[in-house]
């Protein structure tokens, strides 16, 4: 399943039997953008990973640092309650990397990568599948 934001701020994709959720975020997000993202996760993605241990692969190369740190933290805590165990973040901007590190929690600590191929290989080596 692939979910595309109506404003083009994100895509979320997961295969029916997969345990890696691929995300792509772009632009400068506000609270409304985040609310759409969370609603899509709750209604469309969560049912696909219910009862599984899963991981995120987030491509944030086109994302701009945004004032939604607390919302991202709440999303990560929520996702951990439904099976999120780890994450791989594809990031090239030092500023975005710093922002994401600030929003990281003890529940799930992501690993940073320069490209998607490396991120997927690492997640698969951890036992997750696309």
């Amino acid at each position: 399943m692939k979910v595309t934001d109506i404003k083009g701020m994100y895509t979320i994709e997961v295969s029916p039997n997969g345990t890696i959720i691929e995300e792509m975020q772009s632009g400068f997000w506000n609270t409304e953008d985040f609310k759409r993202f969370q609603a899509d996760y709750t209604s469309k993605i969560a049912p696909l990973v219910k009862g599984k241990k899963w991981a995120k692969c987030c491509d944030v190369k086109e994302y701009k640092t945004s004032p939604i740190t607390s919302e991202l933290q709440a999303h990560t805590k929520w996702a951990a309650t439904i099976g999120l165990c780890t994450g791989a973040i594809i990031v090239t901007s030092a500023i975005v990397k710093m922002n994401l590190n600030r929003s990281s929690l003890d529940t799930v600590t992501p690993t940073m990568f320069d490209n998607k191929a490396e991120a997927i290989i690492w997640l698969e080596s951890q036992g997750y599948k696309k």
Side-chain angles (χ1 to χ4, degrees), residues 55-75:
K56 282 188 178 207
C57 181
C58 306
D59 182 339
V60 295
K61 292 183 297 199
E62 301 297 322
Y63 175 77
K64 308 295 181 213
T65 187
S66 301
I68 58 167
T69 300
S70 62
E71 289 89 343
L72 290 173
Q73 289 173 337
H75 172 77

Side-chain angles (χ1 to χ4, degrees), residues 56-107:
K56 282 188 178 207
C57 181
C58 306
D59 182 339
V60 295
K61 292 183 297 199
E62 301 297 322
Y63 175 77
K64 308 295 181 213
T65 187
S66 301
I68 58 167
T69 300
S70 62
E71 289 89 343
L72 290 173
Q73 289 173 337
H75 172 77
T76 302
K77 283 182 183 178
W78 168 81
T81 69
I82 63 162
L84 176 64
C85 295
T86 193
I89 299 179
I90 305 154
V91 60
T92 53
S93 165
I95 293 171
V96 172
K97 188 181 284 189
M98 181 182 67
N99 188 39
L100 292 171
N101 280 329
R102 271 200 331 250
S103 66
S104 292
L105 302 167
D106 292 336
T107 53

Side-chain angles (χ1 to χ4, degrees), residues 35-47 75 78 82:
K35 286 179 181 178
R36 289 192 314 277
F37 176 79
Q38 183 63 43
D40 280 339
Y41 249 96
T42 302
S43 65
K44 299 171 184 169
I45 303 301
H75 172 77
W78 168 81
I82 63 162

Side-chain angles (χ1 to χ4, degrees), residues 4 9 14 21-23 30 53 68 74 87-88 99 108 112 122:
T4 302
M9 303 299 282
V14 61
I21 295 177
E22 296 180 62
E23 299 176 1
N30 60 36
K53 291 185 183 279
I68 58 167
N99 188 39
V108 178
M112 306 288 179
W122 180 77

